[in-house]
Amino acid sequence: MNNPFENALAQLERATSLVSFDPDFLRVIRHPNRQVRISIPVKMDDGRLEVFEGYRVQFNNARGPYKGGIRFHQDTDIEEVKALAFWMALKCAVVNIPMGGGKGGVTVDPKPFTDGEKERLARGWMRGMADVVGPQKDVPAPDVNTTPQIMEWMADEYGKITGDTSGAVITGKPIEAGGSQGRGTATAQGGFYVFETLREKLGLPEKCTVAIQGFGNAGQVAAQLWSQAGHKVIAVSDSRAAIVNPEGLDIEALVAHKASTRSVGGFDGAQTIDSMEVLYQICDLLIPAALENQIHEENVEKIQAKVVLELANGPTTPKADDNLFARGIPVVPDILANAGGVTVSTFEWEQNIKKENWSEEEVFDKLKTIMDREALAIADKAVQLNTDLRRAAFVIALERIQTAME
Ligand code: NAD
């Protein structure tokens, strides 16, 4: 298994070999500012006490408070959280929002948990971290297996401990608990704006065939947005199953099916395929929207999409990146493609601090302006440096962080 933090450092080295950076800056940016590990005791409904390990990595705050989601997953560990925190620092710089990079997690499979157990785990994470987070210090958000409800429990716990009930400590909350309009769909929406802005430059047709790995906050909303815009979503997967229909899947019916059965498996009008096959479909656009390290040295040759757009963080390893670049398959990198989530999270933080409520239209107008502008800047930089979009995005982000640190 590829270590995601080693992949992140390999990406850093590739980008910084193209443009000269201050060597002292490069020495510092390889290391997180702070890594926090906590134990979270949780009383389970059957009376047992379980203890989970929780993390927060605060990578860099030169451009503003640390910002980044909290992941609940059985494979999460400090190395993964470190990589995700590093990518957050770059991502916030890519979209030029006044935030640094952080990330959190708990090693746990929360799927079998009752709501009560999830609530006690969420509150326990916040109790352990209340000293290190805060609206002007570090502002977490949702990630894999964490929801608006979990954010609300955490915000409430922080309010009880500190007396700060503004909600600005955490984003991705339900609307009625201080969340922003548009946050629930922002990650995929941002990716969709980037796709529309770069579509012609990437050599894609007006109407594309699309395969999506992952059917959660990022992947399901992406399926809806692309299909509503007249593209044909032909294959999707989740952690339990993968399905294909070359004629196109009925996404609204699939969303209803997933809501009632908790999986895309067994959907009428589609064929079941092996989980990884979703990545190998012949299609215009492949959207990994699950976890990291999905496209790697051993399977990259099987990728047949014309373009890869990364809604997941770190789904492509550096060696796979090289292979795709050599084969003329552009990869729209995570730190641009999925930056809509953190951008609207930052809008939510700003609204909480200013006690404002922006309309969905206002949120998406602002988001579109940012995503379009930065997508074009990265595409231009890639041409200028004769390189891929990931290296170009890294160079732009690192230049912004270096300026802030100076
Ligand atoms: P989520 O928990 O809502 O959904 C994750 C989805 O991936 C689920 O459908 C799950 O079944 C599926 N999945 C898990 N393992 C899989 C596997 N091996 N094969 C196929 N599917 C699998 O999480 P999310 O918020 O949608 O996050 C997905 C990715 O997007 C992550 O990499 C996350 O870091 C990234 N991301 C999310 C946000 C956000 O705002 N939620 C923002 C930026 C990036």
Side-chain angles (χ1 to χ4, degrees), residues 170-185:
I170 203 159
T171 59
K173 302 178 293 295
I175 306 272
E176 57 282 6
S180 176
Q181 297 289 342
R183 176 61 186 91
T185 54

Side-chain angles (χ1 to χ4, degrees), residues 71 84 91 103 142-145 183 187 213-219 237-239 258 275 289-291 294 311-313 338 341:
R71 176 175 293 191
L84 291 163
K91 194 181 300 181
K103 199 86 183 189
D143 192 70
V144 174
N145 290 330
R183 176 61 186 91
T187 301
Q213 183 195 41
F215 208 67
N217 180 282
S237 66
D238 61 21
S239 62
K258 166 107 185 171
S275 180
L291 295 169
Q294 297 303 300
L311 285 188
N313 284 304
N338 71 30

Side-chain angles (χ1 to χ4, degrees), residues 316-336:
T316 315
T317 66
K319 285 202 172 127
D321 251 349
D322 284 347
N323 176 295
L324 294 171
F325 188 53
R327 286 164 59 205
I329 301 174
V331 177
V332 183
D334 45 9
I335 58 172
L336 169 66

Side-chain angles (χ1 to χ4, degrees), residues 113-146:
F113 280 29
T114 62
D115 281 351
E117 289 164 345
K118 282 185 197 164
E119 177 172 357
R120 293 192 287 283
L121 177 64
R123 289 183 184 276
W125 188 94
M126 185 51 92
R127 265 198 306 284
M129 296 295 181
D131 283 349
V132 299
V133 300
Q136 300 301 333
K137 280 199 273 188
D138 184 347
V139 185
D143 192 70
V144 174
N145 290 330
T146 53

